[in-house]
Every structure is written in structure tokens, then in C-alpha cells.
Amino acid sequence: MSNRRLSDFLSGTTSRRRFLREGGLAALFAGAANACKQEPSKAAVGSQATPPASGQTGGTMGPHDTSSGASALAAAQSMDAMHEKGIKSFPAKTAGLGNQLMTPRLENGVKVYELTAKKIQWETEPGHMVEAWAYNDQVPGPQIRVTSGERVKVILHNQLPESTSIHFHGLELPNAMDGVPFITQPPVKPGESFTYEFEVPNHGSHMYHSHHDAAKQVGLGLLGAFIVEPKQKTKDDTPDVDQVFILNDGAHGYTFNGKSFPATQPIVAKLGQKVRIRFMNEGMMIHPMHLHGIHMTVIAKDGWPVPAPWKCDTLNVAPGERWDVIVNCNNPGTWAFHCHILPHAESEHGMFGMVTALVVQA
Amino acid sequence: MSNRRLSDFLSGTTSRRRFLREGGLAALFAGAANACKQEPSKAAVGSQATPPASGQTGGTMGPHDTSSGASALAAAQSMDAMHEKGIKSFPAKTAGLGNQLMTPRLENGVKVYELTAKKIQWETEPGHMVEAWAYNDQVPGPQIRVTSGERVKVILHNQLPESTSIHFHGLELPNAMDGVPFITQPPVKPGESFTYEFEVPNHGSHMYHSHHDAAKQVGLGLLGAFIVEPKQKTKDDTPDVDQVFILNDGAHGYTFNGKSFPATQPIVAKLGQKVRIRFMNEGMMIHPMHLHGIHMTVIAKDGWPVPAPWKCDTLNVAPGERWDVIVNCNNPGTWAFHCHILPHAESEHGMFGMVTALVVQA
Amino acid sequence: MSNRRLSDFLSGTTSRRRFLREGGLAALFAGAANACKQEPSKAAVGSQATPPASGQTGGTMGPHDTSSGASALAAAQSMDAMHEKGIKSFPAKTAGLGNQLMTPRLENGVKVYELTAKKIQWETEPGHMVEAWAYNDQVPGPQIRVTSGERVKVILHNQLPESTSIHFHGLELPNAMDGVPFITQPPVKPGESFTYEFEVPNHGSHMYHSHHDAAKQVGLGLLGAFIVEPKQKTKDDTPDVDQVFILNDGAHGYTFNGKSFPATQPIVAKLGQKVRIRFMNEGMMIHPMHLHGIHMTVIAKDGWPVPAPWKCDTLNVAPGERWDVIVNCNNPGTWAFHCHILPHAESEHGMFGMVTALVVQA
């Protein structure tokens, strides 16, 4: 989620520290967390807007099927314990946080962003360290957020063992700033720097990433969000929560903003609030993103407003695409939010990879 | 197809028994069936609305190419015979039929659906038996069809060797009814039952399926259509044929409504009729569905009306998505209808998997 | 690109021969070509519409990072040299050109197209010969371009070692002309011919291809564009450049119009011109096509006008789909244009496969 907004938001209700100490979802949504306590009847009515008649809802035990007897039940208990452990640890703490809003320095009215590309170790889920090629030690790289018409300088320092470059995906820049080695610039060699400078053109949810040996370099983490706010903001430009949601599926596994479940971050909002989600796919596969409980209204494709917003609960996001949606949080609870290619989200060991939650606090 | 409607429809023209006894397509569309008899000139003009000049259409034999001589021709004959055999057997009889409209029992004005999940053997195409995990012995599970605002109870009995749960995909339910173990309820263990109860919310073409070990359980068949009719019906809600079309691609191979070609069921309509198709993808892959001969008009996405209906002949259906389309049957004949990822539909042994037909009877 | 239009276009500014002799892009766009000469500062300002302050743009060398020292730099130089070689050879000359506009012969007012299907050798990129099954020795087959309402005859001669047929994908033809063996016609055996004849129905960007053993036959090249112009042309029907862009990913690798980068053809336009691109996917995978520098406006899906044109820079094209877009060439330069599933477009050896460029000449 937009980091500046998350901290703002949480400060009014809880603290990040408490959020993590109390086991995550418990601190965010007490009702839903009951479900983790294995009390069926409470769980089933935890957050119901329309409570059913008492005793008719919730897990009511039926007679045991003799064919699925003691051994099946033991195996099921064992599997369920793994699933429960994963979900209870969500959102799990890991080292490193990507997509942090970057504050530029100002030089004569020009916003200057310095990005250093180098190899790091990155923790995608608790205890799982991978080699990443990262901008400023973050996967995704720091979030750049500017306004259309502003003058911007992006200085790339290459500390990688390969040449690299930056393509500003979606921005309609002068050709020389397009970042394609041997077509618009020479590659930026190890140890070298390169400065991109331009007036920010078309607004929308864009990206920046390597365009050299990119199948490898982007897969390893050389990517980030480049959000361009319009000069004239509309109501959709001032949501209560503004969430960047970058999908990847390369060497780091199935990730949202550089993390795999249970280390993915939930989106947190209060009942009645408006969330804007900016989906971006930096992977090699298409991911149909499914939100439970509340539909999404699609307002932009690749930064361009759609002529007529349309609704869905499953949004197909292809590599290179960006889709902006609005979620009106009118249904309280903890809503699973995952890629619906199920092997990207769940195995017999439980949920993993491309899973997070939208928590709507009553 | 909607089972209640198919039977209604066929009763006026033919019987299901006769339909199967007479070799399928032959009973449905005499003109097209001629093509199977290897009489080129008849076949080619079988159902033409605008017949070409006599003798100028149809297979006219040219001289044999010496480089593709006797052995090539023999190999081609052999391959063609396999292809012909498959197509002539369509729609092939198999044991079991999924997606049968379920009649609930009424309890104090509440529609009660009981679903028993258990292991069964399922025949996907003639002679091909697979293990399925099914609701009420059907793959897909029985079709639930209700109206927005109705009170519904779904009682799940788990006779599987694993825990399970039901997620009502697309329905905007109270959180406790959302069916995600350890987030909204405990898992329903082997031998247990669980009751979901709610007032039916947003209308549209929705689904129900397992949300526990789901990559496996949904792949094995724990899925079904959950159709919500609107309180106020429009003309698109009363088509002549209302067809649910569930795609899957897991352990059972490439299937439509649980069956592979030639055991898939054709959609049958009369010339001038309106067919509504409700595509639902419960698989792990995207399937671009191509209809020959007549275009589709897209009217809804995930149950939500699209702001402006649009036309296509190839509709990309991603996992978790539902797309509703209208087909105005203004072109008589037997029209191939298949996934256009060709390896999902044809091999050197002939058509298989994701292939069916729309039969428009003149 | 539409061959008749490319030659018209180039004749005014350069010749095809000169275009190839001078190393391709250099002849097409002098500014961008500077980038290939490894002069960072020139490259970086090569084609900027808004030049940055002198000295602040372009590759300015930073201090070498000691951890990525001499050996890393040497490896990087070696990799970059491979990348540069590939790009400098673009558009590389290969034998054979597909999608050439076919001139029919006229017989009593009927346009007659003769297509001979046979095995050939096809060069997808310099030195890489593959077996192709082709119409009239072209991959894609010759482009058929007619007007709605015209009477057309397509005579298929089968010189292949297998039976075959032609399906006119997207055309709403009489059933007998639909080209599906054993459903609408017998297969056309080796050495035989078959005549399709019809009045051209719905206009739009359509295709023709084999519908017999098609997973193999289409993958090997039995496919082509079947463009139907409307009787009443709109402004979008008379663009400055009209480009057919057929994607494939079968036995020939990742190709655009039968060629892999660097043998793909660029799209060439002058600043201010309007380009219409007709994407068609004849492969087995979905390809999200990304254009740098200028957005695309989607005007048609499968030949049907979209109700409200919408903008994007990355367009997801699924097998069997056709998408028509307009590109208003208002940004000069050489713009990379590629599938954004990066392993379809780049490896450590450089760009390959599904890569081309839009060259906008100032």
C-alpha cells in the first residue's frame, strides 16, 4: 500500500508495532480473527451484517463418515494445522520493505531521484532469502510519485555486474529518454551512471524497470512504480487508501510488492472508505486477481481512463499492464485477495505466494 | 446447457434418447450431418444460405501431387479416419451428467440446498474414468439458481478424506459466510457438516467451490454454478436457451461442464432463437473461446452488466472470471465452438478436450 | 506492414534496397541511430522534443564500484556486444516474405484466390531455416483483402502429406463454407483441391487457417490475414499505414508475420501520420503487446467496432483474437515494440523473437 498513507491511517487506530506484535489480523479486525480460534459458532457469525437464526449457522457437526475415519481425520488435522499456521502468521514480518515512497531532492525546481542498482539479499517470506537485483535496496524499487508537468531527473548508478538501463514504462517521453540500449542510448555499464531528465508527460499508473537483459533483471527485482498524478485531480485521485500492487512471478516466486504470503501486506481500510488499487504486472504470466466480498470498479487501463468504468471481482492483469480500480469498502471483514490461478496461491501446505487480504474495519 | 431448458427444448423436436441413439448431430441437424458421409458436393452445400453456382463449390478433385503419393495418402486416410470417428461419435454418451439444476427443499421460506462432497469415479469421455471429488456425485456440482433477495441455506456435508469449505465466488456475502478457512470459518473436517445461510445479494453468473487445498480440490471437481437471477428481469434474462459453460483444465484434462470432446454437450437452438451463455473458468489456464459462424455479444462480466455490450467471436476467459454473452442464432448449421489454444482442442488423433458445437436448427 | 503501403511509403524517402544496405534503422531514423555509435551525450539528446540543459543529460560516468570490477566489466562488454550486434542488424534480411498482398484473378465478377499448401523451408531469422507448411510459399500466407459484399472464390490445392482444410476465422459464412472436416466438409486429402465460394459477409480483420490437425498445421504456418474492408469507409479505414501484425509461437519460435527479431519488419511512419495495426494471434499463448512512447487506441475487437475506443500501451492478444488499434504518430523516434512476456523478447544473448520497432520519422 502507499506507505505514507498506511502509516497515516494506522496511527489513528493502532500502531505498526502493535499490529505485528498481536499477530497481524487480530489487531486489524477482531471479528474475523475469531475464526482462527476454532470456535465455529462464533466464527461463523463473527462479522455478519445479517445474522442468521441462532444455532442454524456455523459448523454443526454431523455423524462421522465411516469411510473417512480416524486416519483421514488425522491427516486432515495435520494439513489444517499447516494451513492455520500460515494464515495466523499473516502479515508475517520479514526484513526489507519495497515500494516505499521516495522523497526527491530539489535542484532548481527539478525533482532529483537517485537510484542505485545493486545485488542484495531479499527476504520474500520468513526465512526465505533470495538474491535480488534492486534499486536502493528495495524490491520493488522506491515508489516515484510526481505530477504531470513537473521536471524530473532520475540518476541511475549501476553497481551490478551487468550493464543496465531504465525504461519508463507508460510514459510518453522524448525518444532519447526511453531507456532501450543501442536504440535510444548506450547501455549503462557496471560502475557507470546515467541521468534521465524530462518533463513528466501523461499521468497515470506507470512503471520503471530495466530494459537490458530484462527477462533476468526485471525478474530479479529491477522494477518500481512511477505514479504520475494529474494536474487537475478528480475524486478518484484522492481516495482514502491509494495502493500500489505489483505482481511478479520470476526467480523470487509468486509475489505481491516483492513479498509472498504470509509476508504480503494487507490493504487496510475503514468501513465506508474508498480504496484505489493500482495493479501492475512485472512478471511473465497473466494473473487474474480475485477480491472476495466486494467488487472492483475499473477506472483506468495503462494510466488512461476507461471510457466507461466497469465492475468485476476478478481482474485479468497481463505482463506490462496496469489497471486502476476503485473499491468502495461497504462490506466489513477480512477479505481474501489472491490470484485465481490457484497453484499461484495455494498448495496442500496452505496458502502461499499471491495471496493477501483487504481488511475492512467496521 | 441449462438442463431444464434443454429438456424443454428438445421435447418439441426430438427426445434425448433418440438424440443419443441416432448418433447425435445427425438427429440435431440433418444438413450438417451429411458432411460426415464423405459426399463432398452434398456436404459443401448442405446448409448454405446462399448456394453457389452448381458444380463450382464442393471438393473438386485435382491431380495428385507426385511428391505426396501413395504412402502420404494412406497415412492421411488413417489420420482422417481417427478424426472422423471422434466427430461422428459426438455427442458421445458417458455416465454421469454435471450441472443439473438442483431443486431445493423449502423450510419456512428458506431454500435449502444440501451438498455432499465425496470421492467418486467420473467418466470424462467414453471409457476414461477419473477420480473426482464431487458435490452430489456431479462434476460440476448441481446448478444452484436463485433470485436476488431470497433466503438460502447451503448445508455442506464433508465425506472427503480432507477438510474442505465452500466459497461463493462473486456473491457479496457477510464475511462469516465467505468460506475461507482460518479467516472466516474453521475448516469443515472429514465427517463434519457446515451450514451457510444468507440472503442472496448481487445477481449474476457466480460460482461456488472449495476454498481449502483448492488448487487440488477444485481441480478434482468441487465446483458448481451459482446463478442469481435479478428481481427485475430484462429481456436478456429470458433467452430461449440459457447455457452454463464451465471450463476446467486440471486433473480431469480439458473439460466443458466436466466432459471432454466427444462427450461434451452441444448447445442446441432453433434458427432465430437467442442463446445466453454463461462462461465460467474454474481452471488454471486462460481459455480464449471461439465460436464459428455467429458472433457473441458480451453483456456481463463477473455478473455485472458491462456499460456497453461489445461483440466478438473469441472471448478470453481467465480463471475465476465469468462472462455472459448473447448469441443471436441467425445462421443455421453446426458451428464448432472451442478453445482457440489449439493444443487444448485438437491433436493428430483428432479433436478432443475443449470442443463442442452450437447447433442452429433451420 | 501492408506491403503495398510500405513500398508506397518508402519510395518517397528511401528505397527498400538502400534501407537494407545502410543497416536498417540508420536509413530510417538518423537521430535514433546515433545511439548505436556509443556516444552517450549525443545519444541521449538524439531526438528530444524538450532538450534538457546541456551537460545534465546523457551518460555521465560515475566512479567505478570496486565490487564490480574488471572481470564484471569484461563480461558486461561481452554481453553488450552480442546485444548490439543483434540490434544493429535490425531489420535483418532473410529469404522469403509473408503476408504479401495477393492480387486475385477476376472470373465473371468473382475474385478468385488460389492457395497451394505445401511444405517449404522458411528462414525465420538470418541463417535459421525451419520446415514450414505454407500457402503459396509464404508464412503467413498471402494477405487476402476484399470488400464486404464481394463474391470470392478460394481454391485450395493440397500438396501436403496430410489432409487439410481452410477455416475463415471471423467470417460469418454459410455453414458449408466453414472449413471444419467431418462437420461442414470432408477433409481435403493430399493431392486434392477444394473450392470455397461465398459472398463476403461481415467486415473487419479476420484470418484464414487450417482447421485440420490444426495445432500442428497452424503452428507450422498454414495461416494468413483475411481483411474485409467495409462498403462505407470511415476515417479509420484510410490510415496512412495499415499494418497486419500476426503473432505466432509454435514450431517456428516467437514470430511476428513469420519472422523473429532481428528479421522482423519495423513499422515506418512519418511524424503526424496515423497507423492502423491489426493484431492477430495464431499462436498457443497470449501475448501482451507493448508499444513504447505512444499509446494505442483500440477501435475494434475481432473485426467488430468497440462501442467506445479505449487507450493503452500494452494490449493483451489471445489466440484467435484480433484487435485493431490506431497509433497517432506524434512522438518522433525509434520505439521498441514487443511482447511484454519478457522471455518472448529478450535473453542474455540480446533481443530476439517477438520484438520489432515503430519508427516515426521526424
Side-chain angles (χ1 to χ4, degrees):
Chain A
M1 67 204 78
S2 165
N3 298 287
R4 58 182 174 179
R5 288 182 186 279
L6 172 63
S7 55
D8 293 347
F9 175 73
L10 287 177
S11 63
T13 56
T14 185
S15 69
R16 169 99 189 140
R17 188 167 297 169
R18 180 174 157 236
F19 170 80
L20 292 166
R21 186 181 63 232
E22 297 195 0
L25 284 177
L28 288 171
F29 195 79
N34 282 338
C36 302
K37 292 176 185 164
Q38 295 270 27
E39 295 169 288
S41 60
K42 272 195 192 171
V45 299
S47 58
Q48 277 190 287
T50 313
S54 168
Q56 296 194 328
T57 302
T60 54
M61 302 300 168
H64 278 272
D65 174 358
T66 51
S67 70
S68 58
S71 68
L73 192 58
Q77 299 276 24
S78 169
M79 176 188 282
D80 296 355
M82 283 190 291
H83 286 230
E84 183 176 14
K85 188 179 170 192
I87 289 176
K88 277 201 169 165
S89 70
F90 172 76
K93 195 171 183 174
T94 48
L97 181 67
N99 185 40
Q100 295 183 52
L101 184 68
M102 187 171 183
T103 304
R105 68 170 190 271
L106 274 176
E107 279 182 5
N108 302 320
V110 178
K111 288 186 167 176
V112 180
Y113 296 87
E114 299 216 30
L115 296 175
T116 300
K118 68 174 187 186
K119 271 192 200 183
I120 63 168
Q121 287 292 305
W122 186 251
E123 192 176 19
T124 58
E125 56 184 300
H128 187 64
M129 303 298 293
V130 295
E131 178 182 315
W133 291 24
Y135 296 118
N136 296 6
D137 300 323
Q138 296 178 37
V139 181
Q143 182 184 128
I144 296 176
R145 190 178 277 254
V146 294
T147 297
S148 189
E150 289 183 320
R151 187 102 195 146
V152 164
K153 207 184 271 193
V154 177
I155 306 173
L156 166 64
H157 304 291
N158 182 9
Q159 296 184 9
L160 299 167
E162 282 183 11
S163 296
T164 191
S165 74
I166 293 179
H167 168 57
F168 300 91
H169 181 110
L171 294 181
E172 304 198 342
L173 297 175
N175 196 245
M177 299 292 102
D178 195 46
V180 183
F182 302 117
I183 293 184
T184 68
Q185 68 167 84
V188 184
K189 295 194 184 298
E192 288 184 3
S193 296
F194 192 90
T195 298
Y196 298 90
E197 182 174 348
F198 49 84
E199 186 178 308
V200 177
N202 53 312
H203 65 82
S205 297
H206 304 306
M207 309 191 287
Y208 65 96
H209 56 224
S210 165
H211 211 286
H212 185 74
D213 196 15
K216 173 182 171 186
Q217 293 191 2
V218 175
L220 284 170
L222 290 173
L223 60 99
F226 197 108
I227 309 295
V228 181
E229 303 272 12
K231 286 181 193 175
Q232 306 293 332
K233 293 194 177 184
T234 67
K235 64 177 169 43
D236 289 338
D237 297 309
T238 54
D240 299 297
V241 178
D242 190 332
Q243 173 76 41
V244 167
F245 205 135
I246 304 182
L247 317 176
N248 212 341
D249 52 35
H252 297 168
Y254 298 111
T255 57
F256 291 157
N257 291 340
K259 303 287 179 177
S260 295
F261 186 87
T264 48
Q265 286 191 300
I267 304 174
V268 182
K270 284 185 200 296
L271 188 62
Q273 286 191 321
K274 183 160 83 169
V275 174
R276 178 176 183 152
I277 301 172
R278 302 170 187 265
F279 293 104
M280 305 179 173
N281 189 337
E282 284 282 20
M284 300 174 286
M285 301 172 189
I286 301 177
H287 299 287
M289 292 296 306
H290 175 54
L291 175 59
H292 288 219
I294 313 177
H295 60 273
M296 305 181 270
T297 301
V298 175
I299 59 167
K301 163 79 174 89
D302 298 346
W304 300 99
V306 298
W310 47 274
K311 296 175 181 177
C312 66
D313 55 55
T314 307
L315 183 64
N316 206 26
V317 185
E321 288 190 326
R322 290 89 63 212
W323 289 96
D324 286 34
V325 305
I326 296 291
V327 179
N328 288 304
C329 297
N330 57 7
N331 200 359
T334 297
W335 301 105
F337 199 177
H338 58 93
C339 176
H340 212 280
I341 294 178
L342 299 180
H344 299 180
E346 194 174 31
S347 78
E348 59 182 334
H349 302 295
M351 290 185 185
F352 78 103
M354 291 185 152
V355 178
T356 186
L358 168 65
V359 179
V360 179
Q361 298 173 318
Chain B
M1 64 205 78
S2 167
N3 297 286
R4 58 179 174 182
R5 288 182 186 279
L6 172 62
S7 54
D8 294 348
F9 175 71
L10 288 177
S11 63
T13 55
T14 184
S15 69
R16 169 98 190 139
R17 188 166 298 169
R18 181 174 154 235
F19 170 79
L20 291 166
R21 186 181 62 233
E22 297 195 359
L25 285 177
L28 289 170
F29 195 78
N34 282 339
C36 301
K37 294 179 184 160
Q38 295 269 29
E39 296 168 287
S41 58
K42 274 194 192 171
V45 299
S47 60
Q48 276 191 289
T50 313
S54 168
Q56 296 194 330
T57 302
T60 54
M61 302 299 168
H64 278 271
D65 174 357
T66 51
S67 70
S68 58
S71 68
L73 191 58
Q77 300 277 25
S78 169
M79 176 188 283
D80 296 354
M82 283 189 293
H83 286 230
E84 185 177 13
K85 189 180 170 192
I87 289 176
K88 277 201 170 166
S89 69
F90 172 77
K93 195 171 183 176
T94 48
L97 181 66
N99 185 42
Q100 295 183 52
L101 184 69
M102 187 170 181
T103 305
R105 69 168 189 270
L106 276 175
E107 280 182 3
N108 303 320
V110 178
K111 287 187 169 176
V112 180
Y113 295 87
E114 298 215 33
L115 297 175
T116 299
K118 67 174 188 187
K119 272 194 201 181
I120 62 167
Q121 288 291 305
W122 186 252
E123 192 176 18
T124 59
E125 57 183 298
H128 189 63
M129 301 300 292
V130 295
E131 177 182 317
W133 292 23
Y135 296 117
N136 297 7
D137 301 322
Q138 296 179 37
V139 181
Q143 184 185 126
I144 296 175
R145 188 177 279 254
V146 293
T147 297
S148 189
E150 290 183 318
R151 187 99 196 151
V152 164
K153 207 185 271 194
V154 178
I155 306 172
L156 167 65
H157 303 291
N158 182 8
Q159 296 184 8
L160 299 167
E162 282 184 10
S163 296
T164 191
S165 74
I166 293 180
H167 168 57
F168 300 90
H169 181 111
L171 294 181
E172 305 198 341
L173 296 177
N175 196 245
M177 298 293 101
D178 196 44
V180 184
F182 303 115
I183 293 184
T184 68
Q185 68 168 82
V188 183
K189 296 197 185 295
E192 289 185 1
S193 297
F194 192 90
T195 298
Y196 298 90
E197 182 173 348
F198 49 83
E199 186 178 307
V200 177
N202 53 311
H203 66 81
S205 297
H206 304 307
M207 308 190 288
Y208 65 95
H209 56 224
S210 166
H211 211 287
H212 186 74
D213 197 15
K216 173 182 170 186
Q217 293 191 2
V218 175
L220 284 171
L222 290 172
L223 59 98
F226 198 108
I227 309 295
V228 181
E229 304 272 10
K231 287 182 194 174
Q232 306 293 333
K233 293 193 177 183
T234 67
K235 65 176 167 45
D236 289 339
D237 296 311
T238 53
D240 298 296
V241 178
D242 189 333
Q243 173 78 41
V244 166
F245 205 134
I246 303 181
L247 316 176
N248 212 342
D249 52 35
H252 298 168
Y254 298 112
T255 57
F256 291 157
N257 291 341
K259 302 287 177 176
S260 295
F261 185 88
T264 49
Q265 286 191 299
I267 304 173
V268 181
K270 286 184 199 295
L271 187 63
Q273 286 191 321
K274 181 160 84 168
V275 174
R276 178 176 183 153
I277 301 172
R278 302 170 185 267
F279 293 104
M280 305 180 173
N281 189 337
E282 284 282 19
M284 300 174 286
M285 303 174 187
I286 302 177
H287 300 287
M289 291 297 306
H290 176 52
L291 174 60
H292 288 219
I294 314 178
H295 61 274
M296 304 181 272
T297 301
V298 176
I299 59 167
K301 163 81 173 88
D302 298 347
W304 300 99
V306 299
W310 47 275
K311 296 175 181 177
C312 66
D313 55 55
T314 307
L315 182 64
N316 206 26
V317 185
E321 288 190 324
R322 289 91 62 214
W323 289 96
D324 286 32
V325 306
I326 296 290
V327 179
N328 288 304
C329 297
N330 57 7
N331 200 359
T334 297
W335 301 105
F337 197 178
H338 58 93
C339 175
H340 212 282
I341 295 179
L342 298 181
H344 299 181
E346 194 173 32
S347 78
E348 58 181 334
H349 302 295
M351 290 185 185
F352 77 104
M354 292 185 152
V355 177
T356 186
L358 168 64
V359 179
V360 179
Q361 298 174 318
Chain C
M1 64 204 79
S2 166
N3 297 287
R4 57 181 176 179
R5 289 183 184 280
L6 172 62
S7 54
D8 294 347
F9 175 73
L10 287 177
S11 63
T13 55
T14 182
S15 69
R16 169 98 189 141
R17 188 168 298 171
R18 181 173 155 236
F19 171 79
L20 292 167
R21 186 180 63 233
E22 296 195 1
L25 284 176
L28 289 171
F29 195 79
N34 282 339
C36 302
K37 293 178 186 163
Q38 295 268 27
E39 295 168 288
S41 59
K42 273 194 190 169
V45 298
S47 59
Q48 276 191 286
T50 313
S54 168
Q56 296 193 330
T57 301
T60 55
M61 302 300 169
H64 278 274
D65 174 359
T66 51
S67 71
S68 58
S71 68
L73 192 57
Q77 300 276 25
S78 168
M79 176 188 284
D80 296 355
M82 283 189 293
H83 286 229
E84 184 176 15
K85 189 180 170 191
I87 289 176
K88 277 200 169 165
S89 69
F90 172 77
K93 194 172 185 175
T94 47
L97 182 66
N99 185 40
Q100 296 184 50
L101 184 68
M102 187 170 181
T103 304
R105 69 168 190 270
L106 275 176
E107 280 182 3
N108 302 321
V110 178
K111 287 187 169 176
V112 180
Y113 296 87
E114 298 216 32
L115 297 175
T116 299
K118 67 174 189 189
K119 272 194 199 182
I120 63 168
Q121 288 292 303
W122 185 252
E123 192 175 20
T124 58
E125 57 183 298
H128 187 63
M129 302 299 292
V130 294
E131 177 183 316
W133 292 23
Y135 296 117
N136 296 7
D137 300 322
Q138 296 179 36
V139 181
Q143 183 186 128
I144 296 176
R145 188 177 278 254
V146 293
T147 297
S148 189
E150 289 183 320
R151 186 102 196 148
V152 164
K153 208 184 271 193
V154 177
I155 306 172
L156 166 65
H157 303 291
N158 182 8
Q159 296 185 7
L160 299 167
E162 280 183 11
S163 296
T164 192
S165 74
I166 294 180
H167 169 56
F168 300 90
H169 182 111
L171 294 182
E172 304 197 342
L173 296 176
N175 195 246
M177 299 291 102
D178 195 45
V180 183
F182 302 115
I183 293 183
T184 68
Q185 68 168 82
V188 183
K189 296 196 182 297
E192 289 185 1
S193 297
F194 192 90
T195 298
Y196 298 90
E197 182 173 348
F198 48 84
E199 185 178 309
V200 177
N202 53 311
H203 65 82
S205 297
H206 304 306
M207 310 192 286
Y208 65 96
H209 57 224
S210 167
H211 210 285
H212 186 75
D213 197 15
K216 172 182 171 186
Q217 293 191 2
V218 174
L220 284 171
L222 290 174
L223 60 98
F226 197 108
I227 309 294
V228 181
E229 304 272 11
K231 286 181 193 175
Q232 306 293 332
K233 293 193 176 184
T234 68
K235 64 177 169 43
D236 289 338
D237 296 309
T238 53
D240 298 297
V241 177
D242 189 334
Q243 173 77 41
V244 167
F245 205 134
I246 302 181
L247 317 176
N248 211 342
D249 51 36
H252 298 167
Y254 298 112
T255 58
F256 291 157
N257 292 341
K259 302 287 179 176
S260 295
F261 186 86
T264 48
Q265 286 191 301
I267 304 173
V268 182
K270 285 185 200 295
L271 189 63
Q273 286 191 322
K274 181 160 83 169
V275 173
R276 178 177 184 152
I277 301 172
R278 301 170 187 266
F279 293 104
M280 304 179 175
N281 188 338
E282 284 282 19
M284 298 174 288
M285 303 173 188
I286 301 178
H287 299 287
M289 292 296 308
H290 176 52
L291 174 60
H292 288 219
I294 313 178
H295 61 274
M296 304 181 271
T297 302
V298 175
I299 59 167
K301 163 81 172 89
D302 298 345
W304 300 99
V306 299
W310 48 274
K311 297 174 181 178
C312 66
D313 56 55
T314 307
L315 183 64
N316 207 25
V317 185
E321 287 190 325
R322 291 89 62 213
W323 289 97
D324 286 33
V325 305
I326 295 291
V327 178
N328 288 303
C329 297
N330 57 8
N331 200 359
T334 297
W335 301 105
F337 198 178
H338 58 93
C339 175
H340 212 281
I341 295 179
L342 299 180
H344 298 180
E346 193 173 32
S347 78
E348 59 182 332
H349 301 295
M351 289 185 188
F352 78 103
M354 291 185 152
V355 177
T356 186
L358 168 64
V359 179
V360 179
Q361 297 172 319

